[in-house]
Amino acid sequence: MDMNSFSPMMPTSPLSMINQIKFEDEPDLKDLFITVDEPESHVTTIETFITYRIITKTSRGEFDSSEFEVRRRYQDFLWLKGKLEEAHPTLIIPPLPEKFIVKGMVERFNDDFIETRRKALHKFLNRIADHPTLTFNEDFKVFLTAQAWELSSHKKQGPGLLSRMGQTVRAVALSMRGVKSRPEEFMEMNNFIEVFSQKINLIDKISQRIYKEEREYSDEMKEYGPIHILWSASEEDLVDTLKGIASCIDKCSKATEKRMSGLSEALLPVVHEYVLYSEMLMGVMKRRDQIQAELDSKVEALTYKKADTDLLTEEIGKLEDKVECANNALKADWERWRHNMQNDIKSAFTDMAEENIQYYEQCLATWESFLASQTDLHLEETSEDKPESH
């Protein structure tokens, strides 16, 4: 990560060091606001699923109204993602949360799972809304505004099954063929993606392990307070001391809960989103290579084929334009994505660092206050025990 935004002078206080960080991205004027809320469970004879309310407020002229309210299920989000990839194969489409249950989640439709997914879907739509190109996609507009039956009808307007199968077979054949010579800048991009994927996956695993260990530590700590209270009932001389320890443990336990809440709401989702982004980036590079491979195959055919050269030449010209457009779109989106990624990850880790500092300062102050009171009490008892001088 680019750390040039740190002040060259090292501050003396950890908190003041956090405050030295400058974030360069300023919020732009928005004209499209999207909220995903109010999950609702639906049970039919065939399946059980969740729908989410989507409220859109906008001042854009191409919308028929300034406010829309629709309900969508996860499959609708998948459809939108697929349409965006189809229309913009080399743009970096924001990732969706996984379809299946996250590791360690017992109940698929419990409140925690639904809320985690709701937040991820909210971020997915707002990232699209903030994208300079995707935000004007017609399918995105339909997704935000059409009622359920209208959306169902719109979905049927796409290419038929045989057409989609043909496209898939051709894409697989081209990916198997590969590209003869990927431009240097895209080689560097691909290398970055591979290294980034390895590192962000490792960070994700470590973060999940830290959270699991913190949870176990917190659960254990909650037992210590009541234990000390019970202990005080059998130690007449240590009642105040043991109750004071129980109070300190209780305060530290609450501070730990607060810190874990910050970890689960601020850091873990950001890191995991970029794990999913790394997978999306690999897909983008594969689609770029497929477009170039198609061009390479036509150029090779022209080299060895004498008949229909005019038709091949025309196809090559169109494919060259297509490759150029795909490359330019990816290069522009790549810089935008890296800028956002650096800001997101930097912000998540610095916020977490600040919370950790506040947590340790709070726990330290709690115990120091208790020890000071015990020291004062001990001095008072010592002075009372001293014989009076005559």
Side-chain angles (χ1 to χ4, degrees):
M1 302 307 167
D2 180 13
M3 302 302 288
N4 293 333
S5 53
F6 279 98
S7 168
M9 299 299 292
M10 182 61 71
T12 55
S13 164
L15 279 177
S16 64
M17 182 178 74
I18 297 296
N19 293 332
Q20 290 293 320
I21 296 174
K22 307 295 183 185
F23 295 102
E24 298 173 355
D25 54 324
E26 296 295 332
D28 297 321
L29 293 174
K30 290 187 65 171
D31 56 4
L32 186 62
F33 299 88
I34 304 170
T35 304
V36 179
D37 61 11
E38 293 191 8
E40 187 177 288
S41 178
H42 300 262
V43 180
T44 69
T45 54
I46 301 175
E47 60 179 341
T48 299
F49 59 92
I50 305 293
T51 63
Y52 301 84
R53 183 178 72 165
I54 301 172
I55 296 178
T56 303
K57 296 181 180 179
T58 182
S59 58
R60 293 183 184 176
E62 63 265 26
F63 284 81
D64 298 332
S65 177
S66 60
E67 186 169 342
F68 298 87
E69 180 178 324
V70 297
R71 295 200 74 85
R72 298 286 182 256
R73 58 185 295 184
Y74 184 79
Q75 287 181 358
D76 299 325
F77 286 86
L78 278 176
W79 169 83
L80 173 61
K81 175 175 168 288
K83 296 300 287 185
L84 292 174
E85 290 177 348
E86 182 184 314
H88 311 281
T90 56
L91 289 184
I92 302 170
I93 313 298
L96 276 172
E98 293 96 334
K99 179 177 176 61
F100 300 105
I101 306 168
V102 249
K103 192 175 181 180
M105 194 72 74
V106 178
E107 175 57 47
R108 179 183 175 189
F109 293 127
N110 71 13
D111 292 342
D112 290 340
F113 176 77
I114 292 171
E115 178 60 12
T116 299
R117 172 168 282 186
R118 183 200 66 78
K119 290 178 179 177
L121 296 175
H122 175 88
K123 178 171 277 191
F124 169 74
L125 292 182
N126 278 276
R127 284 202 184 275
I128 296 172
D130 293 338
H131 193 283
T133 302
L134 300 178
T135 187
F136 297 108
N137 179 273
E138 184 62 26
D139 290 306
F140 181 47
K141 178 186 170 186
V142 170
F143 178 90
L144 296 176
T145 61
Q147 293 305 311
W149 66 270
E150 293 175 312
L151 181 63
S152 178
S153 175
H154 182 77
K155 287 180 180 180
K156 295 174 182 177
Q157 295 175 9
L161 176 63
L162 291 177
S163 175
R164 293 198 304 272
M165 287 178 62
Q167 292 173 1
T168 303
V169 170
R170 186 165 61 253
V172 170
L174 290 170
S175 63
M176 292 290 290
R177 185 179 188 277
V179 292
K180 288 186 175 180
S181 58
R182 182 187 288 155
E184 182 64 27
E185 57 192 321
F186 295 110
M187 288 293 294
E188 293 175 1
M189 202 178 289
N190 194 67
N191 292 339
F192 177 93
I193 293 169
E194 290 178 357
V195 174
F196 176 79
S197 177
Q198 293 171 2
K199 291 185 176 181
I200 200 68
N201 273 279
L202 179 60
I203 292 172
D204 185 50
K205 290 178 183 176
I206 293 172
S207 301
Q208 295 289 346
R209 188 172 73 236
I210 289 173
Y211 181 79
K212 180 175 178 292
E213 291 173 355
E214 286 283 314
R215 170 55 62 195
E216 293 170 353
Y217 169 69
S218 177
D219 292 343
E220 193 172 333
M221 189 187 297
K222 288 176 183 176
E223 300 176 3
Y224 289 155
I227 287 173
H228 281 78
I229 294 294
L230 290 172
W231 186 7
S232 68
S234 60
E235 296 285 351
E236 187 176 342
D237 296 338
L238 298 174
V239 171
D240 292 338
T241 300
L242 291 172
K243 286 185 176 179
I245 292 173
S247 176
C248 289
I249 292 173
D250 183 58
K251 290 177 182 177
C252 291
S253 179
K254 289 177 180 176
T256 302
E257 283 292 326
K258 182 181 177 183
R259 183 174 65 146
M260 289 183 62
S261 176
L263 182 65
S264 65
E265 293 178 10
L267 181 64
L268 296 184
V270 172
V271 172
H272 193 67
E273 182 189 21
Y274 278 97
V275 169
L276 300 179
Y277 257 124
S278 70
E279 297 170 3
M280 291 293 296
L281 288 168
M282 291 176 184
V284 170
M285 289 300 297
K286 185 178 291 185
R287 289 193 292 272
R288 192 219 73 86
D289 288 350
Q290 287 170 357
I291 295 171
Q292 185 180 332
E294 189 176 0
L295 172 62
D296 292 344
S297 68
K298 295 294 182 182
V299 171
E300 186 176 339
L302 182 63
T303 304
Y304 295 103
K305 190 173 183 180
K306 295 180 181 180
D308 298 329
T309 54
D310 291 342
L311 179 59
L312 280 172
T313 302
E314 183 181 349
E315 290 180 356
I316 288 170
K318 292 178 179 178
L319 283 171
E320 285 175 341
D321 292 340
K322 187 177 179 181
V323 169
E324 184 178 2
C325 289
N327 289 347
N328 289 338
L330 177 53
K331 285 188 284 188
D333 218 23
W334 175 255
E335 293 304 319
R336 179 182 177 278
W337 177 83
R338 283 193 64 171
H339 175 77
N340 289 341
M341 176 269 292
Q342 289 173 354
N343 283 338
D344 287 346
I345 293 181
K346 185 186 295 182
S347 178
F349 274 99
T350 50
D351 287 349
M352 198 66 240
E354 186 171 359
E355 285 195 22
N356 284 340
I357 292 167
Q358 291 173 347
Y359 164 77
Y360 287 115
E361 287 178 344
Q362 183 180 346
C363 291
L364 181 62
T366 297
W367 287 106
E368 284 181 339
S369 175
F370 169 72
L371 291 173
S373 66
Q374 290 296 301
T375 302
D376 292 342
L377 181 62
H378 177 70
L379 290 175
E380 288 177 10
E381 292 174 349
T382 304
S383 62
E384 290 175 0
D385 291 342
K386 285 183 179 179
E388 294 183 3
S389 56
H390 298 284

